[in-house]
Amino acid sequence: MTAYDAGPYVPDGADVSALREAAAGCRGCPLYADATQTVFGRGEASARAVLVGEQPGDQEDRQGEPFVGPAGKVLTRALDDAGIDPDDVYVTNAVKHFKFTVPERGKRRIHQQPSLREVSACRPWLTAELELIAPQVVVALGATAAKALMGPDFRVTRQRGKLLTPDPPLDGAQVLATVHPSAVLRAGEGREAMYESLVTDLRVVAEQLS
Ligand code: URA
């Protein structure tokens, strides 16, 4: 089996913008082939919180920026309601390319969950971002990000909303897992309750940053 690994594409001694440039040429797994472009993180290197999603969606893939589609709108509102300054946040994803299928007769690209292999192949980019930014808190948005940060046995349903110390440590950062903003959009009648639960979890982060 061919090894998937972004590691060889990550330059030594790069700052965030050099990382972003290098990531544009990443071929560490096959997802680059169908995606429009690499979607790297957005935000200041001085950010005290890093928010990690799963992978770019359709809009993010087209625009080249994380969380600019419908889930991004939920996230922006939730950060505001939780009292987190958007300038204090760096937003990125566990996987930097959009993975999707196109149904035979349809035109719409349908999001597909990245495999564990793809998540771990992309991990060197996330590691490099976290090392440079050295945030106080890393927020895992949903199960894929939480597993990428805390290991495959981590369950957001059981361990959400708490500041946790990862093992192995993440340069002193604490990790808080919460629901993915897309889950809010999919929640039907439970949407408002799920949104409030996201805001409640983010308030724990706001308190830690204050
Ligand atoms: N969902 C994610 O996990 N990340 C994005 O950037 C957009 C949607």
Side-chain angles (χ1 to χ4, degrees), residues 39 53-57 60 65-69 71-72 92-93 141 180 182:
V39 178
E54 181 194 74
Q55 63 165 349
E60 289 78 13
E65 279 203 50
F67 285 102
V68 289
T92 192
N93 283 300
L141 298 166
H180 194 287
S182 297

Side-chain angles (χ1 to χ4, degrees), residues 123 136 138 149-151 163-176:
R123 186 68 165 81
Q136 272 181 44
V138 181
L149 291 159
M150 301 296 283
L163 287 164
L164 305 166
T165 305
D167 176 22
L170 258 185
D171 289 327
Q174 290 186 293
V175 173
L176 180 138

